[in-house]
Amino acid sequence: MEYKASGIPISAQFAEILTNDIADFVYSLEQLNSPETNQIILEGRQAMEDDRVIQTLGEALGLGSMVAVDGGNNILDIGSGSQCFIIAVRYSLRNGYDPHFMMDRFKFESAEPSGFMYGIRNAMEIQQIREADEKESFCIVDNSWVSLLQTVNRTIFHFVNASSEQDREITEKFLEPLLAENGDFVCTLKNPRNIAISKSGISSYYCERYTNHKLNLADKVFLLGVLRAGEYTEPKALVDSGIGQLNVRSDKIFVTKDEVKDIYNTTLQSTSEDCLCLTYFRPHEWSPVKRIEFHKKLLKDNKKLFKSMLQTVADSMIIPTIHEPLEQFLVDEIVKRHTGKLPNIYQTVGIANIKDFSSQFAMQLTRRLRT
């Protein structure tokens, strides 16, 4: 069986994946399924309408296939220590657009390498986003700008406090281009064609405000009961979204710390050119609510480019069983398949070499194996 309404064949092998993909969506619906909750939500919607928080997309022009970036990691614990496999992939459904891979393997001396590993993964992802330099449509960051900054802060903490010079050297190679003046992080934040679509809930700002704290739900779940197809919440600055001021680590390696802090914490009323904003959008009746973080520049010219962005997301979500933009879904699958296999390939090569050669020669080969 293939679903071809979009012109994109989706084969039967995706059936199990798609079943798992809707599990959270079904659970969210169950949370809303009670007369008492429905009444509170109806009252909340009325209050949001009164405040003009709920907007309707109407007619807008989509810009075609987007680019998506995602990363993954895996750890193989063997006798010689923990081998960390990290991958970042960039992909689009445009004709002739091949997947762009960044893959590497590291052996950290730290007993808890995850603090380094996730930071390097995010650095790879942000490099992929900057190199995409999207101009035709939009580039999806499979995360939130909030989470990315938190990961950067955590990685700097591990870098500063690393007991191993080797771990510091490995991490610094990625932190330096990420955090430098005109580096990958600040340039990616400033590009209005980059949109961050988060899987996590992040905040309960609307739920708390418009139910008088009667419901304890993430905004993405609460708004699933509020928003109708084609509706979105009036854009607001990220700093006003219920998460408060976002802090930036002050270490000297973070050369653009002040600039990044300003971008994250600027309000819409500010005269600053750069400001991160967010909206919640329900593309279709069957769709979950998507939290989208975007640049203030999209709101220029009576929100023309902003509405094009929403329509582009909606156009990419016309397959009811896939609850995210198709580009985001596919790049996520590419990452999952590779990160799951890399440790096995590494281990298999090592075992094969041990059988054919001396142990010492085999370990030399696998240590230098570039995945």
Side-chain angles (χ1 to χ4, degrees):
M1 294 288 293
E2 292 185 344
Y3 189 93
K4 293 187 177 180
S6 64
I8 303 164
I10 302 297
S11 65
Q13 73 189 60
F14 281 91
E16 184 178 349
I17 296 168
L18 298 180
T19 300
N20 293 333
D21 187 57
I22 66 174
D24 289 341
F25 186 53
V26 172
Y27 177 69
S28 298
L29 290 172
E30 290 173 347
Q31 287 183 279
L32 303 174
N33 189 26
S34 78
E36 296 80 11
T37 300
N38 284 331
Q39 183 58 38
I40 295 171
I41 287 174
L42 285 173
E43 293 170 359
R45 179 181 171 89
Q46 184 60 57
M48 292 177 76
E49 287 179 335
D50 294 342
D51 287 348
R52 298 183 179 180
V53 175
I54 298 175
Q55 305 287 315
T56 302
L57 177 57
E59 295 294 325
L61 177 65
L63 301 185
S65 294
M66 294 179 283
V67 174
V69 171
D70 197 10
N73 47 264
N74 207 337
I75 296 179
L76 172 65
D77 291 315
I78 57 178
S80 60
S82 296
Q83 305 286 336
C84 298
F85 298 85
I86 305 173
I87 181 172
V89 180
R90 183 173 79 244
Y91 182 57
S92 175
L93 289 162
R94 295 175 194 153
N95 290 333
Y97 198 109
D98 295 325
H100 292 252
F101 286 90
M102 291 179 66
M103 292 186 285
D104 219 323
R105 174 184 59 83
F106 305 100
K107 181 178 179 292
F108 294 105
E109 295 180 353
S110 170
E112 296 182 0
S114 60
F116 302 106
M117 181 173 63
Y118 283 104
I120 290 175
R121 167 182 162 174
N122 280 172
M124 284 184 174
E125 291 178 39
I126 293 172
Q127 181 181 336
Q128 287 272 34
I129 296 162
R130 183 179 185 182
E131 289 177 356
D133 193 23
E134 184 57 22
K135 293 181 175 67
E136 294 181 36
S137 185
F138 300 93
C139 183
I140 302 172
V141 184
D142 192 11
N143 209 325
S144 74
W145 291 128
V146 176
S147 298
L148 279 173
L149 180 60
Q150 290 171 340
T151 301
V152 169
N153 284 341
R154 188 163 58 249
T155 304
I156 294 173
F157 172 82
H158 282 272
F159 169 77
V160 171
N161 294 282
S163 58
S164 164
E165 189 60 35
Q166 174 182 302
D167 291 352
R168 287 176 59 88
E169 288 177 1
I170 292 172
T171 310
E172 188 172 14
K173 287 192 299 184
F174 292 89
L175 285 181
E176 190 167 341
L178 178 71
L179 307 176
E181 185 177 0
N182 296 318
D184 293 340
F185 194 28
V186 71
C187 289
T188 299
L189 292 174
K190 288 181 173 183
N191 188 338
R193 295 297 181 125
N194 298 330
I195 58 173
I197 303 182
S198 170
K199 287 185 172 69
S200 58
I202 308 294
S203 73
S204 301
Y205 172 82
Y206 288 109
C207 184
E208 292 174 358
R209 178 169 181 176
Y210 288 101
T211 69
N212 294 319
H213 297 269
K214 293 177 183 177
L215 296 179
N216 183 24
L217 299 170
D219 282 334
K220 287 175 71 173
V221 177
F222 168 66
L223 293 172
L224 184 60
V226 171
L227 297 179
R228 296 165 186 162
E231 292 183 340
Y232 63 92
T233 58
E234 180 66 14
K236 66 190 305 102
L238 189 63
V239 70
D240 295 327
S241 66
I243 55 174
Q245 294 277 324
L246 287 164
N247 296 319
V248 179
R249 284 209 168 262
S250 58
D251 191 85
K252 62 183 179 180
I253 194 172
F254 204 158
V255 178
T256 55
K257 54 184 174 292
D258 293 332
E259 192 173 7
V260 167
K261 187 175 182 180
D262 288 343
I263 293 172
Y264 269 85
N265 294 319
T266 298
T267 63
L268 279 174
Q269 293 72 34
S270 170
T271 57
S272 173
E273 184 180 51
D274 297 302
C275 174
L276 296 178
C277 309
L278 81 90
T279 184
Y280 289 91
F281 175 49
R282 188 169 188 178
H284 308 285
E285 201 62 46
W286 63 79
S287 303
V289 171
K290 308 307 292 181
R291 176 190 167 100
I292 306 174
E293 297 171 5
F294 61 94
H295 194 280
K296 176 182 178 180
K297 288 179 182 176
L298 293 189
L299 299 176
K300 290 183 176 180
D301 301 325
N302 199 28
K303 301 180 184 174
K304 183 179 179 181
L305 192 55
F306 168 74
K307 291 181 179 179
S308 289
M309 179 270 289
L310 295 184
Q311 186 61 54
T312 305
V313 171
D315 291 344
S316 187
M317 292 183 64
I318 62 173
I319 301 175
T321 47
I322 299 180
H323 295 134
E324 57 188 340
L326 188 55
E327 296 90 345
Q328 190 176 14
F329 172 80
L330 292 175
V331 78
D332 184 56
E333 287 307 310
I334 293 171
V335 167
K336 285 178 181 175
R337 290 168 187 266
H338 279 76
T339 52
K341 290 177 180 178
L342 285 173
N344 294 334
I345 293 171
Y346 179 86
Q347 201 167 29
T348 301
V349 170
I351 293 171
N353 283 319
I354 288 171
K355 288 180 179 178
D356 294 338
F357 307 104
S358 70
S359 304
Q360 185 178 5
F361 182 47
M363 288 311 298
Q364 288 175 347
L365 283 173
T366 53
R367 258 194 226 106
R368 294 193 177 102
L369 176 65
R370 309 307 292 173
T371 52

